[in-house]
């Protein structure tokens, strides 16, 4: 008896096979998608001579589609077999890359881009929910923090790779084929995930708004929308801004590499803080660092500020997003994990879409400076909302750790 009492507590395994496969699948999903993101404005300009306001509308099409499917995907993931839902929508996401290759007109490209948002919106919800299901409850907060590394690193490295390939080959079609292959690798990986058996719900709950959107977390959703708007402007127009305003042709890849380093560093540090329960503190650090980064970017149109802001925005988002995701999860019941995931992604997508559209119009009719000052102001507004309202809102409504 004494030996058992003195035996140290053994931590449950975090890096299990299912969790690792979900992370690889998530990385490939975002890598294939964001390989093209900073280059699509250049492609639309070169291929179709599109104006910048039209670019904003075309590029935001996928966000509109993702928004349409996000709330329903959360409901579907919580109701049906998650593995099958994930595999189905990942296949649709993969196959639609062929549409970019065959799109011969701006209208066809806009249709394909919009349709692509439907499976993208569903897969991101399904895959993150599957990843959470593979985690032991004692390591869930820590695991959610690490999981975000996969999409953050993909969102940072993929544009760098895409820009490097484009500069080396001047071939957009090659990029579309590479994205297709990466998506297939992701599909093949998630198809091998084995999930623990879920207990069937004996009593079906009536359909309500809370099955599609986590109403308990509405303030968090409003807050994350501000930050998504800033990212929508920055990620989509930084390449064309660097080329046309700063004369930087090869440096956009470096911008995203620095951004990725910031994301990686803050994720590692932040995940340790999340494991100790410092969720609100992690979010606070992130929103402030991002505010400094966006402000520097808008304030100083020079190369050194361009690259320094990348590091600050990377550090900030690496702290902020996983903290907000954990906050959503801790406001949700166990049977609402899919809904919690879809809710934060819906809010982020609304912000992203507004950022793409407003950024495109500001670039076309005002200036680059106005667009990026808009991002800085929105980040500032989101920071104020967090400290005045969101922080207390979460602390009052959080559920006990599960």
């Amino acid at each position: 008896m004494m030996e058992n009492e003195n035996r140290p507590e053994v931590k449950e395994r975090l890096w299990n096979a299912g969790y690792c496969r979900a992370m690889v699948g998530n990385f490939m999903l975002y890598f294939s998608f964001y390989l093209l993101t900073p280059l699509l404005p250049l492609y639309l300009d070169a291929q179709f001579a599109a104006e910048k306001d039209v670019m904003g509308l075309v590029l935001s099409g996928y966000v509109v589609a993702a928004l349409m499917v996000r709330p329903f995907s959360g409901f579907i993931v919580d109701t049906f077999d998650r593995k099958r839902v994930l595999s189905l929508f990942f296949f649709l996401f993969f196959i639609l890359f062929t549409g970019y290759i065959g799109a011969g007109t701006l209208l066809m490209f806009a249709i394909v881009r919009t349709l692509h948002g439907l499976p993208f919106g569903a897969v991101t919800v399904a895959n993150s929910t599957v990843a959470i299901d593979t985690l032991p409850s004692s390591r869930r907060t820590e695991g959610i923090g690490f999981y975000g590394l996969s999409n953050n690193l993909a969102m940072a490295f993929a544009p760098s790779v895409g820009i490097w390939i484009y500069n080396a080959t001047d071939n957009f079609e090659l990029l579309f084929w590479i994205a297709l292959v990466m998506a297939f690798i992701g599909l093949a990986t998630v198809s091998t995930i084995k999930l623990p058996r879920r207990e069937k719900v004996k009593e079906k709950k009536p359909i309500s708004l809370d099955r599609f959107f986590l109403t308990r977390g509405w303030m968090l959703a409003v807050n994350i929308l501000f930050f998504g708007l800033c990212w929508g402007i920055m990620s989509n127009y930084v390449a064309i801004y660097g080329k046309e305003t700063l004369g930087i042709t090869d440096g956009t890849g470096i911008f995203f590499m620095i951004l990725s380093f910031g994301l990686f560093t803050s994720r590692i540090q932040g995940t340790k803080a999340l494991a100790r329960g410092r969720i609100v503190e992690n979010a606070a650090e992130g929103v402030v660092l991002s505010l400094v980064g966006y402000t520097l970017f808008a304030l100083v149109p020079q190369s050194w500020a361009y690259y320094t802001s990348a590091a600050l925005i990377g550090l900030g988002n690496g702290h902020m997003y996983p903290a907000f995701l954990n906050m959503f999860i801790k406001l949700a019941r166990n049977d609402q994990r899919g809904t919690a995931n879809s809710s934060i992604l819906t809010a982020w997508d609304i912000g992203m879409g507004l950022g793409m559209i407003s950024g495109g119009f500001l670039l076309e009719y005002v200036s680059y400076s106005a667009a990026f000052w808009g991002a800085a102001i929105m980040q500032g507004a989101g920071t104020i909302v967090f400290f005045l309202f969101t922080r207390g809102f979460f602390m009052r409504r959080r559920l006990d750790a599960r």
Side-chain angles (χ1 to χ4, degrees):
M1 289 293 293
M2 290 294 293
E3 284 185 19
N4 290 335
E5 289 175 5
N6 294 330
R7 186 175 296 167
E9 185 180 346
V10 178
K11 272 191 174 184
E12 293 180 277
R13 187 180 178 189
L14 171 63
W15 299 99
N16 60 72
Y19 178 66
C20 291
R21 288 168 184 167
M23 285 191 71
V24 171
N26 195 51
F27 178 85
M28 291 300 175
L29 171 79
Y30 278 91
F31 191 96
S32 60
F33 203 78
Y34 284 96
L35 182 76
L36 309 174
T37 296
L39 292 166
L40 288 181
L42 298 176
Y43 176 73
L44 294 176
D45 179 49
Q47 190 74 11
F48 306 112
E51 300 292 338
K52 293 183 178 64
D53 54 339
V54 176
M55 287 181 194
L57 292 172
V58 172
L59 295 177
S60 64
Y62 94 89
V63 179
V64 174
L67 280 173
M68 291 170 60
V69 77
R70 289 273 199 217
F72 299 102
S73 58
F75 171 76
I76 292 169
V77 165
D78 283 336
T79 305
F80 300 102
D81 184 277
R82 288 174 179 168
K83 171 75 175 297
R84 292 181 181 178
V85 170
L86 173 60
S87 298
L88 171 63
F89 284 112
F90 214 127
F91 172 78
L92 294 175
F93 171 80
F94 149 71
I95 205 67
L96 274 169
F97 274 109
T98 59
Y100 293 118
I101 300 168
T105 66
L106 182 60
L107 177 60
M108 283 300 300
F109 186 93
I111 291 172
V112 172
R113 183 67 174 171
T114 301
L115 288 175
H116 211 179
L118 295 172
F120 180 78
V123 172
T124 49
V125 173
N127 200 69
S128 57
T129 307
V130 164
I132 293 170
D133 282 349
T134 64
L135 290 167
S137 59
S138 63
R139 309 294 297 273
R140 189 171 296 140
T141 300
E142 185 182 2
I144 291 171
F146 278 120
Y147 175 80
L149 270 176
S150 57
N151 57 280
N152 277 159
L153 288 176
M155 289 167 67
F157 279 113
S160 304
V161 173
I163 290 166
W164 180 82
I165 293 173
Y166 172 68
N167 288 334
T169 65
D170 196 27
N171 188 334
F172 283 107
E173 186 171 326
L174 174 63
L175 288 166
F176 294 143
W177 278 108
I178 292 173
L180 180 73
V181 171
M182 292 296 178
F184 177 77
I185 294 172
L187 170 63
T189 303
V190 299
S191 297
T192 62
I193 296 175
K194 294 181 180 179
L195 287 177
R197 184 180 296 275
R198 292 169 61 199
E199 292 184 10
K200 292 185 178 180
V201 179
K202 295 179 181 178
E203 295 182 8
K204 291 187 177 180
K205 297 179 181 178
I207 301 297
S208 63
L209 178 61
D210 208 41
R211 302 292 301 278
F212 301 97
F213 180 80
L214 190 67
T215 53
R216 285 180 56 83
W218 68 268
M219 177 57 73
L220 277 71
V222 170
N223 208 166
I224 203 74
L225 184 152
F226 284 96
F227 305 136
L229 189 151
C230 305
W231 188 265
I233 295 175
M234 176 67 67
S235 62
N236 282 274
Y237 300 112
V238 67
I240 198 167
Y241 165 75
K243 179 179 179 181
E244 294 187 0
T245 301
L246 301 181
I248 298 173
T249 54
D250 298 330
T252 307
I254 299 174
F255 178 93
F256 281 103
M257 289 293 288
I258 295 172
L259 184 74
S260 70
F261 179 76
L263 286 166
F264 182 82
T265 303
S266 60
R267 280 283 187 172
I268 297 298
Q269 178 192 354
T271 297
K272 294 177 181 177
L274 290 174
R276 296 195 299 269
R278 294 175 55 83
I279 298 175
V280 174
E281 294 83 354
N282 223 37
E285 291 175 21
V287 298
V288 171
L289 280 168
S290 294
L291 175 60
V292 175
Y294 282 113
T295 303
L296 178 64
F297 191 96
L299 185 64
V300 185
Q302 296 181 20
S303 298
W304 70 267
Y306 180 82
Y307 294 121
T308 303
S309 64
L312 292 169
I313 293 169
L315 288 167
N317 275 271
H319 276 296
M320 178 268 296
Y321 192 88
F324 266 83
L325 178 55
N326 266 289
M327 289 161 73
F328 269 92
I329 296 296
K330 287 187 178 295
L331 292 180
R333 302 187 307 268
N334 286 342
D335 63 345
Q336 290 181 307
R337 289 176 190 161
T339 304
N341 274 293
S342 69
S343 297
I344 185 174
L345 290 168
T346 296
W348 181 264
D349 280 349
I350 291 174
M352 280 274 289
L354 291 173
M356 290 177 192
I357 295 171
S358 61
F361 274 89
L362 288 171
L363 263 62
E364 180 67 24
Y365 298 110
V366 188
S367 66
Y368 282 103
S369 178
F372 292 116
W373 267 116
I377 290 169
M378 286 298 101
Q379 180 70 32
T383 301
I384 292 170
V385 168
F386 175 79
F387 283 104
L388 292 184
F389 304 107
T390 305
R391 183 168 56 174
F393 178 92
F394 168 70
M395 296 303 292
R396 290 190 302 271
R397 294 190 171 214
R398 66 181 295 174
L399 302 177
D400 291 335
R402 294 177 296 281

